[in-house]
Amino acid sequence: MSLMSRLAPLPLLLLAALPAQAQDAPAQPQCSGQPATWLGDDPDASDITAAGAALSRQMTTTAGTNPYAMFRVTGDMQPLRLEAMSDGDPSIRLETPDGDLLAENDDAVGLNSRIEQSVGPGDYCVRLIPVGDPDMTATVQLTRPDMPALLVDPVDTTIAACTPETPAETLGQGPLNAALPVEAQTDGTVRYLRFALDGSASVTLRAVSDGLDPNMILFDGSGTQIAANDDADGLNARLDFPSGLAGGDYCLGVAPISSGEGTITVSVEALDRDSYLRTAWRKGELAPPKDGDYPMQAIDLAADRETVVLQDGTAQWLTFTLDRETALIVSAYGELVGVDAKLALFSRDGAVVAQADDRDGSVDARLGPVVLEPGEYRMALTDVNRPDQPGAPIRPVGLVFERFERVD
C-alpha cells in the first residue's frame, strides 16, 4: 500500500474526534457584514416575544468600534421599546441584519435614547453610536410595553393657568391682610396655592429653595396671569407689589424649573419699605445713603493702594472721596478662596458709574480704567456664588487700587 493511500483516511478520523459542541456551535450573528453579539446569551434567550424579563447588555464603543447586538422576534407583530443609557451621549439605530435602517434616536430622555417600534417576526440589529466622546459604555435594553422601562421620563414642571377648577391648597385662613406673613412648603412638583386679600396690600411673594430652582406665576381668581418670576434672588423667585396688590382671590403656581428632590418654601409677607431698601443694600443692588447708618469701609486712595475685605455672602461696601479728576482701576482677587467677585461703583447721587465681573477667564474682577470727576463714591463687592447670604463663612478678598491723575 502506498504512503498516500495510508494517509487519506486521517482527515475523517480527525473530524470524528472533534467534540460534538464544536461541530454544532451556532455561527456568530452578523449585522451589516460585521460581527455582532446576541442581546441575550444565545438566539433563544434573545427572543423578546418569549422573554420573561428585559433583555439587557453593556456595550462599549471606541474610536474604531460602534458595536452591534442582535435580537429575535417570533410570532405576530411585536411592539418594542429599545433604550440606551450612559453617562455619555448614546444614540441607537434599529436595523435589519442586511443594514436597512428601521428607526434611530438620540436624546429622547436627556442625552439618553429610546426607540419605540413595532416589527414582524425575524432577527434585528441594534447599533450603539456615541455622540461626542467616542469612548463610552452604555446599557442597551430591549423590552415589551408591558415591562418596566430603563429610562424614566422627566416630570413635567410646566405651570398651567390656575382656573377655579384647578386643584389647589389654601394658603392661610381667610383674607391674608391681617395674617401676614404666611408660609407653606411644596415639593419638586407643580403645586398651586390659593389666597385672598380683602383690600389692597403691599406684599412680597417668595419661593425659596436650597436644592431646586423655583419658578412661580401669580393668577387672579379667573385664571388670568398677573405676574411671573424666576431667578430674582440667585435661583430663587420673588414678586414685589410695592404699590399694592388689589383685593380679591388669587392662585399662585409654584414649581422648579427642572424636576428634582427637595422642597420649596413659599411665603407672602408685607412689603416694608425700610426692610426692602436694606435688602437691596445687602445685595449690592442699590447704594446706601452716604450719611446713613449702613456700615461702609472708608478708603483713603492717597494712602491705601490695597486692602482686604472680609466677604460674608452679602455686599461689602467701601467709600472714598476724590479731590480731583482721576482715572481709577480696581482689581478684586478672591478666586483662590472660592469667591466669584463682582464690583459695582456708584456716584454720590446713586447712579451706577461702572461695574465688572470675571476678568480674563477667571472669576476675579477688574473695574476700569474709568475716569471719575471729583466727589464721593461708593463701591459694592459681592460674591456671585453666594448672593445675599448673611451668616455665610467669611472669605478674604484682596482689593488693589490704581489711580492716575492729570499732571498740570
Side-chain angles (χ1 to χ4, degrees):
M1 180 180 293
S2 70
L3 178 61
M4 292 299 296
S5 61
R6 281 184 282 128
L7 291 177
L10 286 178
L12 297 177
L13 292 174
L14 290 173
L15 182 62
L18 290 174
Q21 60 269 29
Q23 299 179 51
D24 300 334
Q28 183 177 21
Q30 297 279 318
C31 293
S32 297
Q34 300 183 35
T37 56
W38 287 103
L39 203 51
D41 293 332
D42 53 49
D44 291 339
S46 300
D47 181 1
I48 187 59
T49 306
L55 302 181
S56 181
R57 177 176 289 276
Q58 294 283 315
M59 298 175 66
T60 299
T61 66
T62 65
T65 305
N66 295 331
Y68 279 100
M70 181 175 279
F71 64 90
R72 179 165 292 172
V73 172
T74 57
D76 298 329
M77 289 289 292
Q78 177 65 61
L80 305 174
R81 184 195 298 117
L82 185 61
E83 300 169 288
M85 182 173 69
S86 172
D87 291 337
D89 185 356
S91 66
I92 48 176
R93 292 169 55 99
L94 177 62
E95 305 176 2
T96 67
D98 293 332
D100 295 329
L101 177 64
L102 301 179
E104 60 183 342
N105 179 258
D106 178 34
D107 299 349
V109 180
L111 296 180
N112 296 311
S113 300
R114 175 188 288 160
I115 292 173
E116 294 179 300
Q117 183 94 358
S118 292
V119 298
D123 290 341
Y124 296 90
C125 299
V126 53
R127 189 178 194 184
L128 176 66
I129 302 173
V131 178
D133 187 351
D135 298 317
M136 179 187 67
T137 298
T139 299
V140 177
Q141 178 171 295
L142 178 67
T143 52
R144 300 188 301 268
D146 60 298
M147 296 175 174
L150 175 66
L151 304 176
V152 178
D153 290 316
V155 176
D156 185 4
T157 59
T158 303
I159 301 175
C162 181
T163 67
E165 291 74 33
T166 302
E169 303 171 38
T170 301
L171 186 59
Q173 299 293 325
L176 297 186
N177 300 66
L180 297 178
V182 294
E183 187 176 286
Q185 298 281 336
T186 70
D187 56 19
T189 62
V190 180
R191 302 281 289 277
Y192 294 93
L193 303 169
R194 297 190 192 278
F195 65 92
L197 297 173
D198 60 7
S200 178
S202 297
V203 293
T204 292
L205 285 67
R206 300 179 187 272
V208 178
S209 177
D210 289 332
L212 299 173
D213 181 358
N215 179 34
M216 63 180 178
I217 302 177
L218 181 65
F219 304 91
D220 66 14
S222 65
T224 300
Q225 180 175 323
I226 296 175
N229 181 256
D230 172 40
D231 297 349
D233 299 327
L235 295 180
N236 296 316
R238 187 184 80 227
L239 291 171
D240 296 318
F241 297 92
S243 298
L245 188 60
D249 295 327
Y250 295 93
C251 179
L252 183 65
V254 180
I257 293 296
S258 300
S259 61
E261 298 294 328
T263 60
I264 298 174
T265 300
V266 182
S267 64
V268 181
E269 59 191 59
L271 197 161
D272 177 73
R273 182 181 182 277
D274 291 340
S275 176
Y276 185 88
L277 289 176
R278 295 190 75 85
T279 297
W281 300 336
R282 192 173 65 242
K283 294 167 62 177
E285 298 174 339
L286 187 69
K290 180 70 170 60
D291 53 357
D293 62 352
Y294 202 84
M296 285 185 280
Q297 179 180 344
I299 298 293
D300 181 358
L301 293 184
D304 301 325
R305 186 179 181 275
E306 59 184 55
T307 189
V308 174
V309 175
L310 301 181
Q311 228 297 327
D312 66 354
T314 62
Q316 303 300 302
W317 285 93
L318 300 94
T319 180
F320 59 87
T321 301
L322 298 176
D323 295 328
R324 58 192 302 178
E325 185 180 66
T326 302
L328 182 66
I329 300 173
V330 184
S331 300
Y333 300 100
E335 183 176 29
L336 291 180
V337 293
V339 173
D340 184 352
K342 180 178 180 180
L343 294 170
L345 182 63
F346 298 82
S347 65
R348 179 174 177 80
D349 61 6
V352 178
V353 177
Q355 54 184 322
D357 184 21
D358 294 352
R359 170 193 178 187
D360 298 333
S362 76
V363 295
D364 290 329
R366 176 173 176 170
L367 184 148
V370 57
V371 178
L372 304 176
E373 297 294 328
E376 297 177 346
Y377 292 88
R378 286 152 292 174
M379 186 172 64
L381 167 67
T382 55
D383 183 352
V384 177
N385 282 332
R386 304 186 298 170
D388 190 20
Q389 294 185 15
I394 289 176
R395 296 171 181 172
V397 179
L399 293 182
V400 177
F401 305 93
E402 300 173 74
R403 62 188 184 95
F404 306 88
E405 297 179 352
R406 186 187 304 274
V407 177
D408 297 327

